[in-house]
Amino acid sequence: MFDSLLNGMILGFGVSVPFGPVNILILTYALRVFKNSLAVGLGAFSIDMLYFFLLKFGLIGFLDNAIFMKVLAVFGFVFLSYMAFLMLVKKNKDLNLKNVEFKEKLFKSYLKGVFLNGLNPFVIGFWLSVAGIAIKESHPNAMVIGLIVAILSWIFALSFFVARYKDFFSARIIKFINIISALIIEYFAINLLYKTFIG
């Protein structure tokens, strides 16, 4: 049982730690407010759990459909590109963490995490793969618990540590991070279309 739990944790950290669109958004929010950053991560995690339960009860078959995946990829591309655009057009005054109050509601941050993960067909692919791996485990439930613990731990740790040390970041550095983040997110947006329609 412990082996299955450990395997789940390793898989969870393996999928959480690499910097994809969700981690980039968590990081940029953590530079402003910890709780909003956490809300983004929990929104993305909610979609993970939704797909997991759909799989568990055999309701995800309709999602594993080429046309549905292509439609989802187009919406995902548009949403990711919009997020990248918002990062690029941030004004200098909005990047000064000490003088500007961050006013976005927690629910809105949560919804951004939901849409970011929900519009990514590769998330569905990931959970389909996890289902295949879990079936081969001697204790599949222990593996899933390990997976959940690892994903939640990473979301909290990333949000907490970036928010805790945000005073080390000047407005110029944050602008640079926003530009790099926007370019990375746009890369994922284009890559999403490419892998869905060409590769």
Side-chain angles (χ1 to χ4, degrees):
M1 183 172 154
F2 180 73
D3 285 348
S4 295
L5 185 72
L6 189 61
N7 286 341
M9 290 185 75
I10 291 167
L11 183 61
F13 281 119
V15 75
S16 302
V17 173
F19 264 62
V22 172
N23 276 342
I24 294 292
L25 198 61
I26 289 172
L27 180 127
T28 54
Y29 269 61
L31 288 170
R32 306 308 299 270
V33 179
F34 166 72
K35 59 186 180 180
N36 288 77
S37 173
L38 198 57
V40 169
L42 291 176
F45 178 73
S46 304
I47 291 296
D48 285 336
M49 290 302 92
L50 173 66
Y51 288 150
F52 169 69
F53 283 113
L54 287 173
L55 262 172
K56 192 167 178 63
F57 296 108
L59 300 172
I60 206 167
F62 78 96
L63 295 178
D64 192 18
N65 174 291
I67 294 170
F68 177 78
M69 292 289 199
K70 285 178 179 176
V71 170
L72 203 59
V74 170
F75 280 106
F77 169 78
V78 171
F79 183 74
L80 285 170
S81 296
Y82 176 67
M83 295 302 299
F85 171 75
L86 289 181
M87 286 179 183
L88 286 174
V89 297
K90 284 239 183 244
K91 295 175 184 169
N92 285 337
K93 68 180 178 65
D94 295 329
L95 299 172
N96 192 330
L97 303 180
K98 293 170 187 167
N99 298 335
V100 179
E101 185 186 353
F102 190 74
K103 296 176 181 174
E104 184 169 292
K105 290 189 167 135
L106 283 175
F107 187 63
K108 186 175 179 184
S109 299
Y110 174 84
L111 284 179
K112 283 183 180 176
V114 166
F115 282 113
L116 204 57
N117 239 19
L119 293 174
N120 187 346
F122 296 118
V123 173
I124 298 171
F126 166 73
W127 284 103
L128 285 167
S129 302
V130 166
I133 295 167
I135 288 166
K136 295 172 186 172
E137 285 287 330
S138 51
H139 297 91
N141 288 339
M143 184 192 174
V144 171
I145 289 168
L147 190 73
I148 290 168
V149 167
I151 293 171
L152 285 176
S153 299
W154 173 254
I155 289 168
F156 179 83
L158 180 62
S159 300
F160 177 79
F161 285 107
V162 174
R164 177 76 177 82
Y165 297 105
K166 68 182 178 185
D167 290 339
F168 290 104
F169 297 92
S170 67
R172 180 179 285 183
I173 291 171
I174 292 166
K175 186 169 183 64
F176 177 74
I177 290 171
N178 272 1
I179 291 168
I180 295 298
S181 297
L183 291 174
I184 292 171
I185 284 181
E186 191 55 34
Y187 163 77
F188 279 106
I190 293 165
N191 198 41
L192 182 61
L193 281 188
Y194 177 80
K195 284 189 173 175
T196 305
F197 290 94
I198 300 169

